[in-house]
Amino acid sequence: MRVNNKFLAAVATAAMVVAVPAAAQQKSLAEDAAAFGARPAVMAPDLSADGTRVIYLTPGKGAMRIAVVGDLMSGSFKQVTASDAKPENLGWCAFAGTARYVCRITAFTDKIGTQLTGFSRLFSIADGGQDAKMLGQRRSMYDSGIRQFDAAVVDWLHGDTGSVLMMRSYVPEEGRMGSIITRTKAGLGVDYLDVATLKSKTIEQPRDGVSDYMSDGRGNIRLMEMTEAEKGFLTGNVRYYYRTPASTEWKPLTTGYVDAEDYQPLAIDAASNRLYVLIKQGGRMLLHSILLDGSGQPVLVAENPRVDVDGVVRVSDDGPVIGYTFAEESRDVVYINAEYKTLATALGKALPNSPSINFIDASKDGRKLLLFAGSDVDPGRYYVFDRDKKALTPAMIERPELEGRQLAKVEAVSIPAPDGKMIPAYLTLPPGGPRTGLPAVVLPHGGPSSRDEWGCDWLPQFLAARGYAVLQPNYRGSAGYGDAWLNDNGFKNWATSIGDITASARWLTAKGIAKPDKLAILGWSYGGYAALQSAVTEPGLYKAVVAIAPVTDLAMTKVEANEFVNKHLIHELIGSGAHVAAGSPLQHPMNIVAPVLMFHGDRDSNVGVLQSQKMDAALKAAGKNSDLQVFEGLDHQLDDSDARTKMLARIGAFLDNYIGK
């Protein structure tokens, strides 16, 4: 199998980044598109309880995903199962025993009403790839509703018992007349489940309104989340209940409902009996801990004056919380566990070309660690560290197609907006070439409430390899910098977000990095929206526009949500008023001067393909230069190496034609 050969060939060089002179890096567009369009060779890795094996997903032909199990002692790898995305596709697989795995599949049904509907299912499978068994409640022709989600693992019970604690979605039956076996359970419950025999025992009775449970990693359900709904539609509010160690009684953790964005439980540390939770204070997310003993008051653990604290670090489900994370210019981990702080420092020194060290998983005894190391010029590689032998062994390479290439360094920059605010951004310049007078691409991120981070990203790296300067602004509307920077959001306050993107583009030319007549804009999802809307508001600024899966009409986006439970949340996100029409590129095709190239998957449930189709039709009706490529069977992520390669090849040719190199 392809991944096996690459693994074996790459082990010898996995601990180093190969530096190749710029002159040797000249590749054809087809070669660049294939190399950067290839999906990561390792997705969602999981370490076995004894630390000797790893299971992960790797791409196959087209959108196929293959579950691979590797023996880290012998270097032998084998396929367990695979999916072809027609329509189901694997999301992850993990160890549930010594010879049994649990996997998740996702897919989209045909349209219910007018919109695609996604669903997910869990199944278990034996080591040889046989005896697959579905783990959720069995579907009945009498089911009273649609079960989009069937189950989730709440506690892996160390991953070696063959059993798990599983949250299951129970749907009652209706219309089964005169039967004493009609199912009446409704809502989410938790079962102790043998994933091979399907024998189960109820741990938590199903109940309506529950949206999640959290375990302490030691087989005890300690936290319950309930979601508020009005007439069947979500409000965005949640409330939490907890249990003390020796009780089965649920006690309120929050006083009534709280905004789900403002209160985010992350992990329960069983040894200290503490819940780690992000709580918004002063418009910024701060990390707190709460003793789950009834005393209940949050204690501040960490805050950052510039950005949100956004997560905690632990190496296993039942292990201690060892640190917390935030992203300023680069992503940082602050270790609160002295042992792991020392270990991370030592590993960073052992891998000097890969400063970003992430602990991924651990064996049951904690003595073998799976870790990932990467940087802006290294897509990354996985290692297994044996703490007893102090041995660091290469395991898998993230993007073997990029081995031997000189990649572009990523620099954090600050850009002044017209009102004096400083816009954080990342600048990527072609490796080994000039730093001024370049053709350039502005690359706004999606979301809008997301953000770009320092690291190795395949899309800007492709553009840099083709000779383009790339600028990624974290415009107002980006997440992670607190409420003031979020500025409500990039739809309601699109003028500010687009204004920051425009200021970023002008900074490129003012600094002499880009030539004013060789400037393009490219984006995905909200980034695609931003690219089109920027072309509307600044017709002469960009000479080419690329939009991937873009929102093109804000009113249409609200309509797309009408048949889903988050309808009110999407309507609130977009808002109402004059900004809806003014901020919709579809309503202003005459303003766009630059040629437009768009891509969209016809199975996209995030942003319907109709948005791009209508935009393309409107531009052509207005006599504009527009081209749209629709990928059949693909969703919002275009998770298909062949499709991504075709897309990059077309983008490369399009940019070469209109802004040159």
Side-chain angles (χ1 to χ4, degrees), residues 165-427:
L165 293 188
M166 181 161 290
M167 181 170 64
R168 282 166 148 178
S169 174
Y170 284 87
V171 175
E173 293 178 318
E174 61 183 21
R176 188 197 286 257
M177 303 301 294
S179 174
I180 62 172
I181 61 171
T182 298
R183 298 192 306 218
T184 59
K185 290 183 178 181
L188 288 180
V190 178
D191 297 337
Y192 179 91
L193 178 70
D194 183 310
V195 301
T197 66
L198 301 187
K199 291 181 179 179
S200 66
K201 179 176 69 175
T202 300
I203 302 299
E204 296 293 329
Q205 288 290 346
R207 64 187 78 191
D208 280 326
V210 175
S211 48
D212 203 4
Y213 293 94
M214 185 182 290
S215 133
D216 62 3
R218 298 183 180 179
N220 305 301
I221 304 299
R222 299 292 306 280
L223 192 73
M224 179 173 68
E225 176 188 278
M226 300 195 75
T227 302
E228 184 182 47
E230 294 179 354
K231 297 181 180 179
F233 293 100
L234 300 178
T235 66
N237 296 325
V238 295
R239 67 190 306 173
Y240 291 96
Y241 296 85
Y242 75 100
R243 282 178 173 149
T244 57
S247 175
T248 59
E249 178 187 356
W250 288 112
K251 297 182 178 181
L253 182 68
T254 56
T255 304
Y257 286 97
V258 295
D259 190 315
E261 296 294 322
D262 297 346
Y263 195 100
Q264 301 174 21
L266 301 176
I268 296 172
D269 188 319
S272 64
N273 191 35
R274 292 181 184 274
L275 170 70
Y276 285 84
V277 56
L278 295 175
I279 303 175
K280 184 173 290 184
Q281 291 181 356
R284 198 177 304 282
M285 299 302 288
L286 282 57
L287 181 64
H288 294 76
S289 70
I290 302 174
L291 268 173
L292 298 180
D293 62 357
S295 55
Q297 289 301 312
V299 176
L300 181 65
V301 175
E303 62 180 317
N304 184 291
R306 295 182 57 198
V307 296
D308 295 332
V309 178
D310 55 20
V312 294
V313 179
R314 62 196 310 187
V315 295
S316 61
D317 294 336
D318 62 343
V321 170
I322 63 174
Y324 61 89
T325 62
F326 56 83
E328 292 183 314
E329 281 78 16
S330 61
R331 177 153 291 278
D332 292 306
V333 177
V334 177
Y335 289 95
I336 57 179
N337 180 294
E339 181 183 6
Y340 277 94
K341 180 179 180 180
T342 301
L343 180 57
T345 301
L347 289 170
K349 291 178 180 178
L351 301 168
N353 292 318
S354 302
S356 179
I357 305 293
N358 296 312
F359 294 106
I360 305 299
D361 202 0
S363 59
K364 182 178 178 179
D365 61 8
R367 305 313 297 170
K368 293 183 177 67
L369 303 175
L370 179 66
L371 59 93
F372 176 84
S375 71
D376 56 342
V377 294
D378 181 4
R381 51 210 72 228
Y382 292 86
Y383 300 85
V384 174
F385 180 65
D386 189 315
R387 299 174 68 181
D388 296 322
K389 297 179 180 179
K390 294 182 172 56
L392 187 65
T393 305
M396 300 93 66
I397 295 175
E398 180 81 348
R399 289 185 177 271
E401 291 83 0
L402 298 181
E403 287 294 295
R405 282 177 172 258
Q406 183 183 14
L407 299 180
K409 293 190 70 63
V410 180
E411 178 186 358
V413 297
S414 294
I415 298 167
D419 62 1
K421 299 290 185 181
M422 299 302 292
I423 305 163
Y426 296 98
L427 177 65

Side-chain angles (χ1 to χ4, degrees), residues 463-487:
L463 295 169
R466 299 303 302 160
Y468 298 102
V470 184
L471 185 64
Q472 297 169 270
N474 280 325
Y475 49 83
R476 274 169 283 190
S478 301
Y481 298 94
D483 284 353
W485 195 257
L486 192 62
N487 194 33

